[in-house]
Amino acid sequence: MTTTLDTKDTQWLKSFFGKNVKFNESMSKHTSLRVGGPADVFVTPKNQDQLFELIGWAAHRQIPYLVVGEGTNLLVKDKGIRAIIISLVTCLNEITKTDLGKSKYRVDAMAGASLKSLCRFAINNSLSGMNFAIGIPGTIGGSIKMNAGTSQGVMEDVLDTILLLLPDGKIQNIGKNQLDFSYRNLSLGSNGNEPAGNYPIILSGCFILNHTHDQEFKNEAKLILKDRKKKQPIGWASAGCFFKNPSTKQPAGMLMDQAGLKGKTKGRAKISTKHANFILNTGNATAADILWLMKYAQEIVFKQFNINLQPEVKIVGE
C-alpha cells in the first residue's frame, strides 16, 4: 500500500468533500488522549454515499485508511499516521427501534453514534439490557469491535447482528453466531493496530432489548454512573482503561496499584492516583510520554507478578 497522494488525488478529495477534508491534520484534536501527530488526510463524510465513494476510491488507489469514531480508545504516535483517517460520527449516527412483539425491541444503532447515546436511548424508551455500558466512552462501531463491557456484561451479550461494508464494496448482514468474539475484541480480518485498505467496516449494530415497566433499571443506571464517577478519574484527558485485565481476579488496575505505580509520571503523562489503569494527559503530554509509562508499567508488573499486561488501547502511527 502507498500513502503518496498526487495532485489529482488531492484535487479529487477537495472537490468531493470540500471543507470536510483536512490535510496534515493533528490527531491530538481527534483523540481523547489529546496526543498524536498529523494524519495525511482526515475526512468526515457527511453521508453514507460519500463514505462508500471514499472507501471505494481509496481501495482502488491502494491508499491505506483507518476508520475512527470519537478516538476514545486510540493512541496515535507523535510522528503521525500515513493514511486517510475516516471519521464516522457525522455520516453514521442514527439510532432507531422496531417493536418485535412480546416486549422485545430491535434497536439499530449506526457505527458513528456514541455508546452513551445508545444507553440514553434505551433508558428513555424503557428498554433494559444496556446498563452494563453506562459510562463507557466511544462509539457503537468501536464498542462492537472492542467487545466493550464490564463485569456486568459485554456488547456480545445484547448484539444480534452487525452490518458490514466489505472490501469489495458489498454490504453484508452477519449474525452473532457467525462472529468471532473474544475478550475486548471482535476479529474482522484486521487487528486494528495499523491502517489497512482491505478490511470490513462496521456500519451498524442491531441489538435485541427488552421493554420493561419496571423503573428499577433506571435507578440502577444512575447508581452505575455514580459509581464510575467515584472510582475513575473524571475531567482528565485519557483513553479510559489502558490495559486489558489479565483475569477477573487480577484486574490490571489492582496489579498496577499493588506494584506502586499510582502517581508515576513521565513528562506531562501520569498514571492516575485514583485508578491505576488510567494513564492521563495532564497537559501537553506527548504520545512518547504515554508509551514510556505503558512500557514502564509492563516491566514493573511483569517483574513483580510475572504477568504481561496487554494494552487495550489501539496504538497506531510512527
Side-chain angles (χ1 to χ4, degrees):
M1 306 294 284
T2 176
T3 58
T4 303
L5 297 176
D6 60 28
T7 302
K8 289 184 178 179
D9 293 331
T10 302
Q11 288 177 344
W12 182 83
L13 288 165
K14 287 181 177 178
S15 64
F16 197 79
F17 295 101
K19 64 180 181 180
N20 291 327
V21 60
K22 298 178 181 179
F23 300 90
N24 202 37
E25 175 75 355
S26 174
M27 288 302 293
S28 64
K29 301 177 182 178
H30 304 286
T31 63
S32 61
L33 271 167
R34 298 292 181 258
V35 300
D40 288 347
V41 185
F42 189 94
V43 185
T44 306
K46 64 181 180 180
N47 53 46
Q48 291 187 55
D49 288 341
Q50 282 197 347
L51 171 65
F52 297 161
E53 185 76 16
L54 177 59
I55 295 298
W57 175 83
H60 175 72
R61 291 283 294 114
Q62 293 189 309
I63 298 173
Y65 58 82
L66 180 67
V67 172
V68 301
E70 296 178 339
T72 56
N73 202 48
L74 185 66
L75 173 59
V76 180
K77 295 180 181 179
D78 293 316
K79 290 185 179 180
I81 184 167
R82 309 285 72 81
I84 297 177
I85 306 300
I86 306 172
S87 172
L88 303 181
V89 296
T90 298
C91 62
L92 298 176
N93 59 14
E94 294 182 1
I95 301 175
T96 59
K97 65 181 175 70
T98 303
D99 189 350
L100 300 178
K102 297 183 178 179
S103 296
K104 288 189 178 295
Y105 276 79
R106 164 180 168 159
V107 176
D108 291 287
M110 290 186 172
S114 69
L115 186 55
K116 178 181 179 181
S117 295
L118 176 58
C119 292
R120 187 187 306 116
F121 182 92
I123 290 173
N124 290 343
N125 287 277
S126 298
L127 301 175
S128 64
M130 290 303 306
N131 274 3
F132 73 89
I134 293 287
I136 297 178
T139 55
I140 300 301
S143 299
I144 293 173
K145 184 67 178 68
M146 287 297 299
N147 197 18
T150 64
S151 59
Q152 298 166 314
V154 293
M155 297 297 283
E156 180 185 6
D157 296 337
V158 289
L159 188 70
D160 184 55
T161 61
I162 62 172
L163 193 66
L164 289 180
L165 174 62
L166 302 179
D168 61 6
K170 295 180 180 178
I171 296 176
Q172 184 176 1
N173 202 45
I174 302 179
K176 180 170 66 175
N177 60 348
Q178 297 175 282
L179 296 173
D180 184 16
F181 278 105
S182 58
Y183 174 67
R184 295 297 178 266
N185 187 59
L186 167 61
S187 179
L188 288 174
S190 170
N191 64 11
N193 286 328
E194 290 296 339
N198 192 32
Y199 64 94
I201 296 171
I202 298 173
L203 297 177
S204 66
C206 168
F207 303 86
I208 304 300
L209 304 178
N210 296 311
H211 186 267
T212 178
H213 296 290
D214 185 358
Q215 297 299 303
E216 184 58 33
F217 87 103
K218 294 185 178 181
N219 295 329
E220 179 190 59
K222 293 179 181 179
L223 291 175
I224 290 173
L225 187 58
K226 182 179 180 180
D227 188 58
R228 275 184 172 274
K229 290 181 178 180
K230 180 180 179 181
K231 294 180 179 179
Q232 298 179 359
I234 304 298
W236 295 99
S238 80
C241 287
F242 200 94
F243 294 103
K244 297 178 181 179
N245 291 323
S247 70
T248 54
K249 293 183 179 180
Q250 293 180 306
M254 183 188 75
L255 294 171
M256 294 172 70
D257 187 1
Q258 292 177 352
L261 289 166
K262 278 186 173 180
K264 180 66 178 178
T265 61
K266 174 64 174 177
R268 298 304 300 271
K270 178 181 179 180
I271 295 176
S272 172
T273 56
K274 194 171 187 179
H275 191 310
N277 200 15
F278 280 66
I279 298 180
L280 312 177
N281 178 357
T282 63
N284 297 320
T286 65
D289 292 336
I290 294 169
L291 289 171
W292 189 93
L293 280 180
M294 176 191 80
K295 293 176 181 177
Y296 181 79
Q298 289 172 317
E299 291 172 2
I300 296 299
V301 168
F302 183 78
K303 182 177 180 180
Q304 293 195 24
F305 304 105
N306 198 34
I307 292 175
N308 284 307
L309 290 181
Q310 298 299 319
E312 182 174 316
V313 172
K314 298 303 180 184
I315 302 167
V316 300
E318 55 186 38

